[in-house]
Amino acid sequence: MKKENTPARPFLKWAGGKSQLLQQFSSLYPSALKENEIKNYYEPFLGSGAVFFDIAHQYTIKSAQLSDINQNLIITYLTIQNKVDKLIESLYQIEKKYLALNAEKRKAFYYKQRESFNSERKEINFSKQNDGWIRRATQVIFLNRTCFNGLYRVNSKGDFNTPSGVYTNPTICDHENLLKVSNALSIAVIKCAGYTEALRKTKNNSFIYLDPPYRPLTKSAAFTAYSHQGFTDVHQKELANVFTQLSNKGNLVMLSNSDPKNVDPNDTFFDDLYANFRIACIAARRGINSDATKRGAVNEIVVMNY
């Protein structure tokens, strides 16, 4: 049974975000979830959280374990969960300042914020919630909403390095949606952790969604989306082993990734890794390429153990 209230939406743009795929995902969710038999949900590659918000809106889950290795992302989620009113006020103030500027001054303002965001990283106490988190979360959302393509990208040193974007009237403080996001997160335990730590102990009657950094379709397509740590084929194989372990414990597990057959019909990398599981193919429109003529529909895979 689906709920009727308007759902929370992702508050960040995110590389590989799943908002556009939710309708296709809905047909692939396990029947036990649709029948409200699933009470616990895990998402260890959280990103924009589109799938969590969709599931929390549609179905009656009692708890969610949400995690990611991106410390700034997790700080922002926790701030929305626990200090949303203060965050909204902070975002309103920075939005007001930014929108009052002309294009040239907006660009300078953006780079000043990006510089302080990077320089203050070593001063942030990521382990315990504090007032500094409000400023940090404000900068995360501001930079995300005003940078080029909404792309969260860091260099090898961990510095955010996406250039300024050009927007006429960007929404930086989405007051109404942030309140809905905070409400949706009320059932969640949120932590900064790798997927192996996050999934070390899973409750019975759980659904787990895995959305790792996608395997690049070409060498030139590889980029560090949200961490200075890469995610290689070795990591993809390690994740496949965890998928099998989770399945053997009786969990319902669903995983997304790129479809290498978009560029090489003979590439059976994922077919081999997940030979014992069901693999569905879905169409996605991706716009990460800097050349707009190369953006378009591609196939992605969804692996399921049910």
Side-chain angles (χ1 to χ4, degrees):
M1 182 175 64
K2 296 185 178 182
K3 303 174 186 178
E4 297 298 328
N5 60 305
T6 305
R9 305 183 312 277
F11 56 91
L12 294 174
K13 302 174 185 178
W14 207 254
K18 296 298 180 290
S19 293
Q20 58 154 315
L21 300 178
L22 294 178
Q23 186 172 357
Q24 295 182 77
F25 275 14
S26 184
S27 65
L28 298 175
Y29 291 152
S31 58
L33 179 68
K34 299 176 183 180
E35 294 166 4
N36 291 322
E37 295 173 359
I38 297 294
K39 301 305 177 186
N40 309 298
Y41 175 75
Y42 292 78
E43 189 171 343
F45 298 95
L46 184 55
S48 73
V51 174
F52 163 70
F53 293 127
D54 182 51
I55 287 175
H57 170 64
Q58 293 199 69
Y59 309 110
T60 308
I61 55 173
K62 291 185 176 180
S63 71
Q65 308 286 326
L66 309 177
S67 55
D68 202 286
I69 61 170
N70 187 318
Q71 292 177 313
N72 294 305
L73 179 68
I74 293 303
I75 273 183
T76 307
Y77 270 96
L78 286 168
T79 301
I80 293 174
Q81 184 188 50
N82 300 308
K83 301 284 185 180
V84 68
D85 291 335
K86 289 186 177 181
L87 176 61
I88 286 171
E89 177 59 28
S90 180
L91 285 169
Y92 171 75
Q93 294 299 330
I94 200 170
E95 179 183 72
K96 185 178 178 180
K97 291 177 183 178
Y98 182 80
L99 295 182
L101 302 174
N102 61 31
E104 183 178 350
K105 290 183 177 179
R106 283 185 181 186
K107 190 173 182 179
F109 185 87
Y110 171 87
Y111 284 110
K112 184 177 180 180
Q113 291 294 324
R114 192 182 78 170
E115 181 181 2
S116 66
F117 179 76
N118 289 329
S119 65
E120 293 169 9
R121 185 175 77 248
K122 294 179 181 179
E123 302 171 11
I124 298 294
N125 181 353
F126 288 100
S127 62
K128 186 176 181 180
Q129 188 148 9
N130 57 79
D131 288 342
W133 283 19
I134 295 172
R135 172 174 167 80
R136 197 71 177 169
T138 298
Q139 290 180 320
V140 168
I141 294 175
F142 169 78
L143 292 172
N144 178 264
R145 288 290 173 175
T146 57
C147 73
F148 175 75
N149 244 13
L151 178 62
Y152 190 102
R153 184 186 65 192
V154 297
N155 60 23
S156 59
K157 297 179 180 179
D159 287 340
F160 180 78
N161 67 353
T162 309
S164 173
V166 179
Y167 304 96
T168 303
N169 189 32
T171 300
I172 298 167
C173 181
D174 190 342
H175 177 279
E176 183 178 343
N177 186 56
L178 285 170
L179 291 175
K180 290 179 180 179
V181 168
S182 182
N183 183 61
L185 293 174
S186 64
I187 65 168
V189 173
I190 305 169
K191 63 181 180 180
C192 185
Y195 71 89
T196 52
E197 178 186 345
L199 298 173
R200 187 166 289 121
K201 293 182 180 180
T202 55
K203 298 178 182 178
N204 294 329
N205 199 22
S206 296
F207 175 47
I208 302 166
Y209 173 57
L210 303 172
D211 184 27
Y214 276 19
R215 185 175 187 246
L217 293 178
T218 63
K219 290 183 179 180
S220 62
F223 70 97
T224 302
Y226 62 79
S227 169
H228 64 279
Q229 304 164 341
F231 206 87
T232 66
D233 279 0
V234 172
H235 296 113
Q236 298 287 1
K237 292 175 182 178
E238 290 173 349
L239 179 59
N241 288 333
V242 171
F243 187 104
T244 299
Q245 292 167 12
L246 292 169
S247 183
N248 290 340
K249 291 179 181 179
N251 298 291
L252 297 177
V253 193
M254 172 175 153
L255 174 143
S256 302
N257 218 306
S258 59
D259 184 355
K261 293 179 180 177
N262 282 294
V263 294
D264 182 359
N266 297 315
D267 190 332
T268 60
F269 180 79
F270 287 119
D271 298 271
D272 297 336
L273 276 186
Y274 295 101
N276 296 323
F277 302 102
R278 174 188 171 203
I279 300 178
C281 191
I282 60 176
R285 185 171 183 83
R286 295 300 179 197
I288 292 302
N289 200 302
S290 58
D291 182 351
T293 63
K294 295 181 180 179
R295 302 174 195 166
V298 295
N299 288 330
E300 296 187 4
I301 63 166
V302 178
V303 184
M304 296 153 282
N305 72 335
Y306 48 87

